[in-house]
Amino acid sequence: QVQLVEFGGDLVQAGGSLRLSCVASGLILGWNDMGWYRQLPGKQRELVATITNNSSATNYADSVKGRFTISRDNAKNTMYLQMNNLELDDTARYYCNGHFRTPGRPDYSYWGQGTQVAVSL
């Protein structure tokens, strides 16, 4: 089993910045792609950004391109999301997702519990 815990959610004014972190723990034999997703109550979870296992490639939702940056440090078992120039529409619960190789599972998807980001005027 792999546990993912997100940190860094907060209330921030529009135009401000936040840095989210996602720490992985457990019996991890290998790291695959990871990503950040967000969700509003009653709405579908949507992709924010993804990153490959060796950070060679990233992908962003159009709504966050140029403002958000995803990164990871496998040595620290941590993935980050730097969010700049935050907008009201960025308000959501942000979830960490990771694909890991664990005993008996070559590629399995895990989710964290989420961290709340609220952007105000």
Side-chain angles (χ1 to χ4, degrees), residues 1-2 4 6 12 14 18 32 37 40 53 58 61 65 68 88 99 101 117:
Q1 283 285 353
V2 175
L4 298 175
E6 300 97 335
V12 63
L18 280 176
N32 297 324
Y37 294 74
L40 283 170
N53 62 342
T58 57
K65 280 181 182 175
F68 290 11
L88 295 179
H99 291 251
R101 182 164 58 89
V117 172

Side-chain angles (χ1 to χ4, degrees), residues 23-107:
V23 180
S25 62
L27 192 55
I28 299 171
L29 302 180
W31 295 69
N32 297 324
D33 295 356
M34 297 187 73
W36 288 96
Y37 294 74
R38 65 188 182 187
Q39 187 173 24
L40 283 170
K43 293 197 173 183
Q44 279 195 328
R45 194 170 295 185
E46 63 176 19
L47 180 148
V48 175
T50 61
I51 186 167
T52 54
N53 62 342
N54 59 359
S55 303
S56 62
T58 57
N59 178 55
Y60 295 91
D62 288 342
S63 59
V64 306
K65 280 181 182 175
R67 301 187 296 120
F68 290 11
T69 302
I70 188 172
S71 62
R72 63 192 290 174
D73 185 341
N74 289 350
K76 295 183 178 180
N77 293 1
T78 304
M79 176 179 65
Y80 305 96
L81 185 68
Q82 178 66 44
M83 305 187 294
N84 298 328
N85 194 20
L86 282 159
E87 302 172 353
L88 295 179
D89 286 348
D90 295 321
T91 295
R93 191 164 187 85
Y94 284 70
Y95 294 88
C96 168
N97 173 260
H99 291 251
F100 300 93
R101 182 164 58 89
T102 59
R105 291 175 169 173
D107 187 352

